Amino acid sequence: MHPATAKWYDRRDSVFIEFCVADSKDVKVNFDKTKFGFSCLGGTDNVKHENEIDLFEAIDQNESKHKRTDRSVLCCLRKAEPGKAWPRLTKEKAKLTWLSVDFNNWKDWEDDSDDEFGQYDQFSDMMNNMGGDDDLPGLDGADDDESDSDDEKMPTLE
């Protein structure tokens, strides 16, 4: 029995954990208020994977879900207190060798506000309304078909 390799990231209302197990079968996910359990058989050799986590904060086990794909199992743990950041997934500060942060999906949402999103949309609209390629000045000599000194034939090597 081995723990499955996993990546996690934090959002305003939920915490996401992706267990990287290809061809998983017999997936079992247990959402408890302060604990989370995952187990499955994975790969062509049907290795048994099992993970148990004492969570950093409480979750709403009735609103939490999971989805299996051919490559992984993604779990969405709905926070009991939305809007509260989780600096780590586990209650203990111990480093788990099988768990890492999913930096591709990580977002510092704590400092975000609705006003900033509105300003971003206005900025995007402004950029889209600005001129495109037609406004670029011509580049002198860029399209000339004249031969250069480096176009000469190379001497043969002996």
Side-chain angles (χ1 to χ4, degrees), residues 80-98:
E81 292 183 51
K84 188 173 183 182
W86 287 25
R88 62 185 179 275
L89 181 63
T90 60
K91 184 175 216 141
E92 303 295 322
K93 287 187 179 182
K95 172 85 172 119
L96 301 173
T97 57
W98 53 267

Side-chain angles (χ1 to χ4, degrees), residues 12-153:
R12 189 175 304 280
D13 298 333
S14 304
V15 173
F16 293 87
I17 309 170
E18 183 176 16
F19 291 94
C20 305
V21 180
D23 301 322
S24 60
K25 297 179 252 340
D26 195 24
V27 174
K28 291 184 180 80
V29 178
N30 182 24
F31 299 108
D32 191 32
K33 192 163 184 75
T34 58
K35 283 188 177 202
F36 172 74
F38 171 81
S39 67
C40 73
L41 297 175
T44 54
D45 49 355
N46 287 328
V47 174
K48 172 107 172 141
H49 295 282
E50 192 168 341
N51 302 63
E52 190 165 302
I53 303 167
D54 288 321
L55 297 169
F56 179 75
E57 290 282 337
I59 61 169
D60 182 348
Q61 62 263 37
N62 298 323
E63 292 292 319
S64 297
K65 306 174 198 158
H66 75 281
K67 180 181 180 182
R68 185 204 159 281
T69 67
D70 289 340
R71 304 182 99 208
S72 65
V73 178
L74 182 63
C75 301
C76 173
L77 284 62
R78 181 68 75 168
K79 293 179 180 179
E81 292 183 51
K84 188 173 183 182
W86 287 25
R88 62 185 179 275
L89 181 63
T90 60
K91 184 175 216 141
E92 303 295 322
K93 287 187 179 182
K95 172 85 172 119
L96 301 173
T97 57
W98 53 267
L99 182 65
S100 64
V101 174
D102 186 351
F103 287 108
N104 291 333
N105 288 308
W106 193 270
K107 181 181 171 194
D108 287 330
W109 54 263
E110 295 173 274
D111 300 327
D112 289 348
S113 69
D114 294 336
D115 293 339
E116 289 175 0
F117 286 118
Q119 290 173 356
Y120 178 79
D121 290 339
Q122 290 173 353
F123 180 74
S124 295
D125 291 342
M126 182 180 71
M127 291 301 290
N128 289 335
N129 291 332
M130 292 178 79
D133 292 338
D134 297 332
D135 295 333
L136 291 176
L139 300 173
D140 294 333
D143 293 330
D144 292 345
D145 289 331
E146 296 176 19
S147 63
D148 293 334
S149 62
D150 61 348
D151 290 342
E152 297 171 4
K153 187 175 178 180

